[in-house]
Amino acid sequence: MADVFDHRLKTSYGAIKREHANQVDVPEDRKYIGFDAYKKAMDCLKPGDIAIFATPLAFRWVHFTYAIQKD
């Protein structure tokens, strides 16, 4: 998981964990904070893993570009 702000990542993680407790696997070392956090989160994905981009639309092109270049 990644977010620019720590408090928002904690809130998002808490909500997902409450709804899907047995299906969430995000240890502390895979929670990334900062403007480059999306890169760190995508870098730990394995082939076949899925990324969900829940950012405002204005920022998604940056994330998509990085994901495409990684392929």
Side-chain angles (χ1 to χ4, degrees):
M1 289 185 77
D3 203 306
V4 174
F5 303 105
D6 183 55
H7 70 279
R8 289 179 41 179
L9 185 134
K10 288 178 181 174
T11 301
S12 297
Y13 175 76
I16 292 169
K17 188 69 173 173
R18 276 191 303 279
E19 292 292 321
H20 307 284
N22 296 330
Q23 298 171 317
V24 177
D25 177 24
V26 187
E28 290 300 317
D29 63 335
R30 287 195 325 224
K31 294 178 183 174
Y32 305 103
I33 305 297
F35 287 103
D36 66 342
Y38 71 95
K39 291 180 181 179
K40 295 174 185 174
M42 280 193 258
D43 288 345
C44 72
L45 295 174
K46 299 181 294 281
D49 285 349
I50 296 171
I52 298 172
F53 299 100
T55 57
L57 293 175
F59 298 103
R60 287 193 197 158
W61 71 271
V62 176
H63 303 157
F64 289 142
T65 300
Y66 185 74
I68 292 166
Q69 290 172 347
K70 283 189 57 65
D71 188 29

